[in-house]
Amino acid sequence: MAQIVEQRLEQHETRGRTLTLKVKFSDYQQLTRSKTMLAPISELDTIFEIAKTLFELIELENRSIRLLGISLSNLDNAKQIQVIQLPLFQNGNIIF
């Protein structure tokens, strides 16, 4: 699942800051856990490790899982990130 998320991020040239894990049990009860990172992520290893950590926090209590999913939100379009360099001088004078 982490690999599919990574491939979709790469395809859309984006990254995300919030990873969400969804677990649905056989009795249709559903749990979600999420973690928001300070910096956007898109690397497979990072996605996998965060999802694994969130999964380990869930108490399974001998329950059967019928659905498991991960998603990344709080997206940051990498195409739109641009570095803007402002001029230091204008008409021979330093700009403050």
Side-chain angles (χ1 to χ4, degrees):
M1 285 184 290
Q3 190 172 30
I4 292 169
V5 170
E6 181 214 23
Q7 289 170 351
R8 289 181 182 171
L9 291 169
E10 187 176 299
Q11 178 184 3
H12 295 285
E13 297 182 39
T14 193
R15 303 172 295 176
R17 291 187 338 119
T18 303
L19 189 134
T20 302
L21 173 74
K22 177 190 276 190
V23 181
K24 194 177 281 187
F25 297 100
S26 59
D27 62 359
Y28 291 91
Q29 183 182 15
Q30 179 176 301
L31 292 175
T32 58
R33 299 290 181 262
S34 63
K35 179 170 182 152
T36 299
M37 310 301 290
L38 293 175
I41 60 169
S42 63
E43 300 79 22
L44 174 61
D45 292 341
T46 307
I47 295 167
F48 178 78
E49 286 303 317
I50 296 168
K52 180 181 168 190
T53 301
L54 291 173
F55 182 77
E56 290 171 347
L57 295 174
I58 295 173
E59 303 228 3
L60 298 175
E61 304 165 358
N62 296 323
R63 297 166 71 187
S64 299
I65 295 173
R66 69 178 300 274
L67 180 137
L68 184 65
I70 60 173
S71 64
L72 206 57
S73 59
N74 222 350
L75 299 178
D76 176 32
N77 191 337
K79 279 184 178 179
Q80 293 178 355
I81 297 174
Q82 298 178 9
V83 175
I84 300 171
Q85 184 172 354
L86 300 173
L88 180 60
F89 296 97
Q90 185 174 30
N91 299 329
N93 298 319
I94 296 178
I95 303 172
F96 289 101

